[in-house]
Amino acid sequence: MALGLRCSRLVHPAFCNFLAALTRPVSEVTLKTVSGRQNDHRQYLAYPAVPIRHFATKKAKAKGKGQSQTRMNLNTALVEDIISLEEVDEEMKSVIEALKDNFNKTVNIRTSPGSLDHITVVTADGKLALNQIGQISMKSPQLILVNMASFPECTAAAIKAIRESGMNLNPEVEETLIRVPIPKVTREHREMLVKLAKQNTNKAKDSLRKVRTNAMNKLKKSKDKASEDTIRLIEKQISQMADDTVAELDRHLAVKTRELLG
């Protein structure tokens, strides 16, 4: 009796699985050929089909989740009759170069005589660079001298231009000699330069927006030269170029900020 119960326990799970397979549709059942023949007929055992779940790998998930938009690169030769993308690109690059030049001249911890050269002075003869009407020299690491003996009538205008240059300079005058004390390199001075760098970067972005707007307006005037799809692709290309330029401006700002704050 005990032996019979033991056997029934072993047989019972297999028998239940067999019955379950018989009650399932054929599409859900896997047939397996059993080796050997009986009465010249192949024998098959029915096994319930096991559903298979394919899991996405980490690489696939990352690709699907963080995949960036496809970048466009139009052949400039194909659109040169509509707009010169090379000229637009050069104008955008000039914005970057202007910001870099601005950083080198006005956003430095150590002020040099050359940093005053670019300052524009409003005179009776028009706008002139400070180094055109004054002789600039370095008296000491803490003092720059601007000799206005050649154009004494422009001394007051030169002082005003230096004060409004955004370089945090407070010039003093002795007849035709302008003394420009160099601010000490304090934490406050460094933070002021960072603020100035951000202001200059925002101005550069304004210039970039003007370049982009002019390009888009020029493109709109050429809609009769190409299909709507082509115009749309060119618009996307110009927007992509502008986005790349903004990223480059931000990169230069980040580098300058690290340099100023140490």
Side-chain angles (χ1 to χ4, degrees), residues 10-257:
L10 295 174
V11 175
H12 178 70
F15 184 70
C16 290
N17 289 337
F18 177 72
L19 290 178
L22 292 178
T23 59
R24 294 193 180 192
V26 177
S27 60
E28 299 181 6
V29 177
T30 302
L31 299 179
K32 181 177 180 181
T33 304
V34 179
S35 60
R37 294 174 177 272
Q38 183 177 357
N39 299 328
D40 294 330
H41 293 286
R42 292 185 180 181
Q43 292 182 343
Y44 296 91
L45 290 180
Y47 292 91
V50 179
I52 301 174
R53 181 179 179 184
H54 298 279
F55 292 91
T57 61
K58 292 183 179 180
K59 184 177 181 180
K61 288 181 179 179
K63 183 178 180 181
K65 184 177 181 180
Q67 189 175 12
S68 59
Q69 294 181 352
T70 303
R71 296 181 63 81
M72 296 173 50
N73 285 292
L74 292 178
N75 189 337
T76 55
L78 298 177
V79 298
E80 60 183 3
D81 291 337
I82 305 172
I83 189 173
S84 175
L85 292 179
E86 290 184 357
E87 290 183 3
V88 176
D89 184 58
E90 288 299 323
E91 290 180 7
M92 291 184 178
K93 287 181 178 178
S94 67
V95 174
I96 298 175
E97 294 303 318
L99 180 67
K100 290 166 61 177
D101 186 60
N102 183 280
F103 280 173
N104 292 331
K105 290 181 177 179
T106 66
V107 190
N108 287 309
I109 296 177
R110 299 294 180 182
T111 304
S112 63
S115 62
L116 303 185
D117 290 348
H118 76 287
I119 294 179
T120 302
V121 182
V122 179
T123 69
D125 297 326
K127 295 181 179 180
L128 299 173
L130 181 61
N131 62 351
Q132 292 180 317
I133 59 177
Q135 183 179 358
I136 306 173
S137 61
M138 198 87 176
K139 179 69 174 178
S140 69
Q142 289 77 36
L143 182 65
I144 295 178
L145 298 179
V146 183
N147 192 333
M148 299 294 297
S150 299
F151 295 89
E153 68 278 7
C154 298
T155 302
I159 293 174
K160 181 181 179 181
I162 294 171
R163 283 181 179 151
E164 297 177 352
S165 64
M167 299 174 63
N168 194 31
L169 300 175
N170 188 23
E172 303 168 353
V173 61
E174 294 178 3
E175 297 181 353
T176 58
L177 184 64
I178 302 175
R179 302 166 59 89
V180 185
I182 306 303
K184 293 182 179 180
V185 184
T186 61
R187 183 68 182 181
E188 290 75 13
H189 181 59
R190 291 174 182 268
E191 291 176 352
M192 185 277 300
L193 290 176
V194 171
K195 184 179 179 180
L196 179 60
K198 291 180 180 178
Q199 292 175 352
N200 292 339
T201 303
N202 289 334
K203 290 180 181 179
K205 290 181 180 180
D206 290 338
S207 299
L208 176 63
R209 277 190 286 269
K210 291 179 181 178
V211 173
R212 181 184 179 278
T213 300
N214 291 338
M216 291 298 188
N217 290 338
K218 186 176 181 180
L219 190 60
K220 290 178 181 178
K221 296 178 181 179
S222 305
K223 285 188 175 182
D224 57 336
K225 297 181 180 180
S227 65
E228 292 183 3
D229 291 339
T230 302
I231 295 296
R232 193 176 298 109
L233 288 175
I234 299 175
E235 289 177 346
K236 289 182 179 180
Q237 178 69 20
I238 294 174
S239 296
Q240 178 180 297
M241 293 164 59
D243 291 342
D244 291 343
T245 306
V246 169
E248 187 69 8
L249 293 175
D250 289 336
R251 188 184 70 81
H252 285 293
L253 174 60
V255 171
K256 176 57 69 173
T257 300

